[in-house]
Amino acid sequence: APSGKPVWINPCGGKELASGEGSQADSIPDNQLLTRIILASRNALAFAQKFSESFVCEIFGREVTSHNEEWKHTRYDWLPSEGEIPKTLGEATPNSHMKDLADSELNSFLVSSFRYLQTISVGLEQVHHDKDRQAAKFTNEFAQAQYKLRQVLCEVESAVTIREPDVKIVDVTRSVMGSEYRNIKDATYRDLRDWIILRDYMNSLEYLIDVCEFFKKL
């Protein structure tokens, strides 16, 4: 299993940035914070979408749309649930869900999102770890996906700490992903696991963009 400092912990590279930015809380409006999250998310999503096409074509011999359709109801219990992110890849987030979120605090949404994304990062780390050990194709792409997700996490964490400097964020640990999802001997099953993690990563980014755009309009 992977070891060392996880990339999803302190994604901005240290507490100094968060507390330093926190002192400027009044000078950074929510819209600007949301825009920063949206831009980082779009960048991460564009990269993931591009390489997911080659990944699905190369590994499964088909197009993303049909592949996604076939497996869209296959979910892992440790990744964000349908209740948490009520959309599947390529779908828009339902308006009714947005209205429910509007009644809650922006920070509670951001903290939840941070948790979803950290959980996804745990999965991406394992995918990259396995591919790296086997010197498999797409090792570099999964490494880059982790890095781009880290940038999104940094923007989300910054927004949370700027809006609420005393907030306590409980980081996700590697233990969220059980060994049955890590130690997969069968290559076909492992490929499918990699797709489900990549799919949920892209779906989480789509969701984050949708909701941040929604909050910008409030």
Side-chain angles (χ1 to χ4, degrees), residues 154-171:
C154 174
E155 294 299 353
V156 175
E157 187 183 51
S158 292
V160 170
T161 51
I162 285 168
R163 298 184 84 254
E164 198 181 327
D166 299 326
V167 71
K168 292 281 179 282
I169 293 176
V170 180
D171 288 306

Side-chain angles (χ1 to χ4, degrees), residues 17-79:
L17 177 64
S19 55
E21 286 202 356
S23 59
Q24 314 161 16
D26 297 336
S27 62
I28 305 183
D30 285 350
N31 266 18
Q32 200 175 322
L33 297 174
L34 290 166
T35 298
R36 281 165 28 172
I37 295 171
I38 291 165
L39 290 174
S41 301
R42 282 191 181 143
N43 179 37
L45 181 59
F47 176 77
Q49 284 171 332
K50 192 161 188 279
F51 99 80
S52 69
E53 287 172 18
S54 340
F55 175 73
V56 170
C57 180
E58 178 97 16
I59 304 294
F60 302 99
R62 55 200 306 198
E63 290 185 334
V64 169
T65 316
S66 55
H67 181 68
N68 180 47
E69 196 57 39
E70 182 178 347
W71 296 101
K72 85 192 235 184
H73 298 297
T74 303
R75 287 176 173 266
Y76 289 156
D77 56 6
W78 55 278
L79 288 171

Side-chain angles (χ1 to χ4, degrees), residues 94-161:
N95 282 333
S96 56
H97 179 73
M98 301 283 209
K99 290 194 176 79
D100 290 343
L101 285 176
D103 296 333
S104 68
E105 239 288 285
L106 173 57
N107 253 34
S108 72
F109 163 72
L110 291 173
V111 170
S112 300
S113 297
F114 191 72
R115 185 169 184 81
Y116 303 153
L117 294 171
Q118 280 196 324
T119 305
I120 299 275
S121 188
V122 173
L124 285 176
E125 178 189 62
Q126 184 64 46
V127 175
H128 174 254
H129 178 73
D130 289 344
K131 294 208 173 300
D132 194 40
R133 278 187 312 164
Q134 297 151 3
K137 274 195 89 167
F138 301 105
T139 302
N140 185 43
E141 285 83 350
F142 276 101
Q144 282 202 56
Q146 280 191 92
Y147 173 68
K148 287 179 183 294
L149 175 53
R150 184 183 180 178
Q151 291 174 313
V152 178
L153 281 164
C154 174
E155 294 299 353
V156 175
E157 187 183 51
S158 292
V160 170
T161 51

